[in-house]
Amino acid sequence: MPLLFRKIKELRNHLNTLRCERNFSLGFVPTMGYLHEGHKALIKRSRLQNEVTVVSVYVNPTQFGEGEDYERYPRDLDRDMAVCEELGVDVVLAPTDEEIYPQGSKTEVYVRELSEVLEGKFRPGHFKGVATVVTKLLNAVQPDRAYFGEKDYQQLKIIQRLVRDLLIPVEIVPVETVREPDGLAYSSRNVYLSPEERESALSIYRSFLLAQEMINQGESNSAIIKEEMERFILSHPHVKKIDYIEITDPELNPKESVERGDRILVALWVGSTRLIDNWKVG
Ligand code: PAF
């Protein structure tokens, strides 16, 4: 079993003791738990590239808006510990709220502009919560490398920017989205979907294939591609609402004409579940 720490001080003492014994590179995988194949890919990459891997499991309240799924977000630390053991994780940090947000906390981290587009428009405050907790976790663990999935592409871009802007000495390693065999991206929120809703959720991946096919056939007009994607997605019965379909360059600047390497980003509601996904244009 990996060592489990609830307190940052204890984690730091442990890592300091290890450092006195030997030199090692430290990989860090921050998660909100309920680990799935997507997380496993992050952990495996960290294990490949580092001698020691720390995984954090913390459902961060400040990145959930009012009326969002903070309370019902799936939690199962025993299961997460078993997954971490199976993958050879050395240490799990599962801090309490008080450890992360000591009473009287007044400091927040906010990445301007990047936090205001796409997800930021629909989830105000979300990225301030993410940027703040990731900064705290990076300070707590002080890893050489930290691993983030491309599934949350905007989050990845914000974290790359914040470590650059705040001079945090860590390499951010992006890891490709892991999909189920039928194309649905792994997400902890997939557990909310009924089988019928899951079928409608597949429209996201299939709309990416549709867009890619249009691009392969020579279509480069973003507006036309987005319109076709929207029409296709909305033909699925359980899709309640599309928050956005956007085509951007890799830095999230909107594009009118699509090229290889651009990103197509989608957020939508299937029943009462909000899903996001994105696609790198090939
Ligand atoms: O991607 C997530 O699971 C979370 O946003 C993160 C990075 C662990 C911060 O709470």
Side-chain angles (χ1 to χ4, degrees):
M1 267 292 177
L3 285 172
L4 171 63
F5 293 105
R6 298 279 187 183
K7 293 206 179 304
I8 288 160
K9 202 168 173 189
E10 287 168 8
L11 168 80
R12 284 204 177 126
N13 286 343
H14 173 71
L15 293 174
N16 285 340
T17 311
L18 283 188
R19 278 194 192 101
C20 289
E21 289 164 7
R22 63 195 163 101
N23 222 341
F24 59 87
S25 71
L26 182 59
F28 176 43
V29 182
T31 80
M32 297 208 296
Y34 216 70
L35 304 179
H36 52 63
E37 294 301 318
H39 298 115
K40 287 186 188 175
L42 304 178
I43 293 171
K44 284 180 192 162
R45 183 71 63 82
S46 174
R47 292 266 297 127
L48 264 180
Q49 295 184 328
N50 304 281
E51 283 83 32
V52 176
T53 290
V54 175
V55 171
S56 67
V57 174
Y58 179 63
V59 184
N60 172 37
T62 65
Q63 70 187 75
F64 290 81
E66 224 169 280
E68 290 188 358
D69 56 344
Y70 173 67
E71 275 83 20
R72 75 162 176 154
Y73 197 86
R75 295 161 167 87
D76 189 343
L77 186 58
D78 291 341
R79 183 175 164 281
D80 292 338
M81 287 298 287
V83 171
C84 286
E85 177 175 31
E86 171 200 317
L87 295 180
V89 169
D90 302 275
V91 173
V92 173
L93 171 67
T96 57
D97 287 338
E98 178 58 22
E99 278 294 290
I100 297 293
Y101 297 103
Q103 243 197 343
S105 290
K106 294 278 183 248
T107 309
E108 292 173 324
V109 179
Y110 184 61
V111 180
R112 282 195 301 270
E113 293 174 18
L114 267 181
S115 300
E116 284 139 32
V117 297
L118 299 161
E119 284 300 281
K121 281 195 187 146
F122 293 87
R123 303 185 68 191
H126 169 64
F127 286 123
K128 192 193 276 180
V130 170
T132 302
V133 80
V134 169
T135 304
K136 285 168 183 264
L137 290 168
L138 290 174
N139 282 337
V141 178
Q142 301 190 355
D144 298 289
R145 300 187 182 92
Y147 296 79
F148 292 87
E150 290 188 350
K151 156 84 169 44
D152 296 306
Y153 189 73
Q154 189 175 2
Q155 167 174 286
L156 168 68
K157 290 283 122 185
I158 286 171
I159 289 161
Q160 285 174 332
R161 181 64 65 92
L162 92 79
V163 303
R164 197 197 74 168
D165 289 357
L166 296 180
L167 314 179
I168 301 178
V170 61
E171 181 191 342
I172 300 300
V173 183
V175 177
E176 256 183 50
T177 303
V178 184
R179 298 181 183 280
E180 297 199 44
D182 56 12
L184 187 68
Y186 279 99
S187 160
S188 304
R189 292 190 167 100
N190 291 351
V191 298
Y192 302 150
L193 300 171
S194 69
E196 298 75 27
E197 288 173 340
R198 193 185 174 288
E199 191 54 35
S200 283
L202 284 175
S203 66
I204 309 175
Y205 175 66
R206 292 180 182 153
S207 77
F208 292 147
L209 298 185
L210 176 73
Q212 184 64 60
E213 186 52 30
M214 289 175 77
I215 295 161
N216 295 348
Q217 298 296 323
E219 182 59 73
S220 64
N221 185 320
S222 295
I224 294 176
I225 295 167
K226 288 193 283 186
E227 226 173 81
E228 269 308 294
M229 289 177 69
E230 182 178 328
R231 193 195 49 73
F232 174 75
I233 290 172
L234 289 177
S235 71
H236 291 73
H238 296 280
V239 176
K240 288 280 160 316
K241 188 162 93 84
I242 297 176
D243 278 351
Y244 58 80
I245 299 175
E246 196 52 82
I247 303 184
T248 72
D249 71 10
E251 299 311 313
L252 295 178
N253 303 301
K255 291 282 295 281
E256 280 177 14
S257 179
V258 188
E259 305 172 79
R260 269 179 94 108
D262 286 346
R263 286 272 161 181
I264 308 179
L265 304 106
V266 172
L268 54 69
W269 291 85
V270 179
S272 59
T273 304
R274 189 171 185 279
L275 299 172
I276 61 170
D277 199 351
N278 68 88
W279 180 260
K280 183 177 178 179
V281 175

